[in-house]
Amino acid sequence: MGSARWKRLCLLFLIGITFSVIFYGHYYTTTDSSRLLQQETLGPAQAEIPQDVRNHSLPRESMTKRGNPTKNSSERGILNHPKEKDLLTPSLSQSDLCPHSLKSKVKVDPTMRKQFDFGIPVLMEKQHFTPETWEKLKEHKVPYGWRGLSYSAIASTVQLLNDSASGRLFSKTGLPDGCSRCAVVGNGGILNGSRQGKEIDAHDFVFRLNGAVIKGFEEDVGTKISFYGFTVNTMKNSLIAYAEYGFTQIPQGKDIRYIFIPSDLRDYIMLRSAILGTPVPDGYDKGDEPQQYFGSEASAGKFKLLHPEFVHYLTERFLRSEIINSQYGHLYMPSTGALMLLTALHTCDQVSAYGFITDNYRAFSDHYFEQEKKPLVFYANHDMLLEAELWKSLHRTGIMKLYQR
């Protein structure tokens, strides 16, 4: 009897030990697995996300200087916050959809990558006119800002740029392979006898400027016009200076868009009158009928205005001339041709430049439409040689094509 009882006690003791081992083994295995899982999903990601990226209130510059977020930070849901998602992974623009965009060449060139900023707004529109923008730009002189200009004059003009197309030059809908191909046609004598007309017209969009004489030179410069760029001053001077060559009218047409360069208050006043279809009420051009220049069709979508900050950016990054530090510094700004070409380089996928200054400019007349050869004239308000170096550099890196002969 005692022996049987002892055997039962031993059996119960062994069973108890067995269950204890199984229970505690399962418990610690589960706990360690849980801790390990937490370490893989939270630990490394938290360690790899810089402090400034975790701070939601910091500006975009702080994010981009740090680089892209790690894979682990994405897995933790960091990018689910709308603000951080916009900052760290900006949405693709239309140009990013083109497999052969000049942007791809900019990205692989260390020098050009530092110069180009495709995020800066090219065109001014109503939504840009905020109290903050006014306070900022009123500190800078034209064409880089609004110093000394009337608030009402600027506001009454910019607020009319409220068309859905005011902030963009064109739509890429229907373009082959999603790529926009642009030609920018200067007025240099290199185009005389060039026979580039058909090639120019084959582009999706063609930019022309100032004294864009076409009649009689179609074989060399083509006929297509998508954009006409100017300041009111250069437009009027061109009508006077080149009238003898047939330039008696600003290009007009249903599909032509006009790009105003804001070099003076008169550009804002003329632009407002052009949109409203009314005579210029005051200033240097008082009484002018905008229809005589741009045609009878008046709408905000037909007119574009370069953003003053864009002009400032172009000058600082690409064409900061030594003239700025001279007695003529207050007069300096990039030429109309330079501003149009750089505008195309910030909006188009592929850009070709015709009629721009090249190393052998002395071999050609100042303008292609001149019957007698005239030397290129250098004025104190532009730095044409600096522009020539820029075009050569952009051509060499393949960012644009510069017509040369």
Side-chain angles (χ1 to χ4, degrees), residues 56 58-60 63-64 82-90:
H56 293 186
L58 285 176
R60 181 181 187 135
M63 304 283 192
T64 55
K83 292 182 180 179
E84 292 185 344
K85 183 172 183 179
D86 291 341
L87 292 174
L88 296 173
T89 55

Side-chain angles (χ1 to χ4, degrees), residues 232-397:
V232 172
N233 185 59
T234 62
M235 177 187 75
K236 288 198 166 186
N237 285 346
S238 295
L239 288 170
I240 296 171
Y242 310 131
E244 62 178 298
Y245 303 108
F247 190 72
T248 58
Q249 176 62 61
I250 301 302
Q252 295 183 9
K254 180 181 178 182
D255 297 325
I256 296 178
R257 299 294 180 262
Y258 299 99
I259 303 176
F260 279 73
I261 299 172
S263 70
D264 199 351
L265 178 61
R266 66 191 298 200
D267 296 293
Y268 291 95
I269 296 176
M270 178 68 77
L271 174 57
R272 182 177 71 241
S273 293
I275 295 174
L276 295 175
T278 59
V280 176
D282 50 40
Y284 192 84
D285 307 294
K286 183 177 180 179
D288 268 8
E289 297 278 352
Q291 293 91 338
Q292 67 177 304
Y293 303 117
F294 313 113
S296 57
E297 182 185 348
S299 67
K302 196 170 183 64
F303 302 98
K304 314 292 180 180
L305 175 67
L306 288 189
H307 200 301
E309 285 190 290
F310 179 66
V311 180
H312 180 264
Y313 149 78
L314 295 182
T315 304
E316 290 294 311
R317 294 280 187 93
F318 297 93
L319 293 168
R320 184 168 180 79
S321 172
E322 293 180 358
I323 296 176
I324 294 175
N325 300 318
S326 73
Q327 60 179 320
Y328 304 106
H330 64 289
L331 298 174
Y332 176 76
M333 66 178 289
S335 68
T336 305
L339 291 174
M340 287 300 96
L341 182 46
L342 285 165
T343 294
L345 286 164
H346 283 75
T347 53
C348 305
D349 294 312
Q350 297 174 17
V351 175
S352 298
Y354 303 84
F356 282 77
I357 185 172
T358 55
D359 285 341
N360 60 339
Y361 68 89
R362 292 183 181 87
F364 311 104
S365 187
D366 192 355
H367 302 99
Y368 64 80
F369 44 76
E370 291 160 343
Q371 297 177 0
E372 296 182 5
K373 183 180 178 181
K374 296 182 179 181
L376 175 62
V377 178
F378 293 91
Y379 295 98
N381 60 330
H382 301 316
D383 192 334
M384 301 304 295
L385 295 180
L386 179 60
E387 293 181 9
E389 286 299 314
L390 176 60
W391 312 145
K392 183 166 63 175
S393 175
L394 293 169
H395 175 79
R396 184 175 61 250
T397 55

Side-chain angles (χ1 to χ4, degrees), residues 65 102-120 313-319 346 390 393-394 397 399:
K65 288 178 182 177
L102 61 86
K103 286 185 178 181
S104 61
K105 295 179 180 178
V106 169
K107 290 178 182 177
V108 299
D109 186 283
T111 301
M112 294 300 172
R113 191 166 62 241
K114 292 179 181 178
Q115 285 185 282
F116 278 85
D117 179 1
F118 293 106
I120 191 167
Y313 149 78
L314 295 182
T315 304
E316 290 294 311
R317 294 280 187 93
F318 297 93
L319 293 168
H346 283 75
L390 176 60
S393 175
L394 293 169
T397 55
I399 293 172

Side-chain angles (χ1 to χ4, degrees), residues 1-12:
M1 184 76 177
S3 176
R5 184 178 180 183
W6 173 252
K7 289 180 179 180
R8 284 198 298 272
L9 288 174
C10 289
L11 179 61
L12 291 173

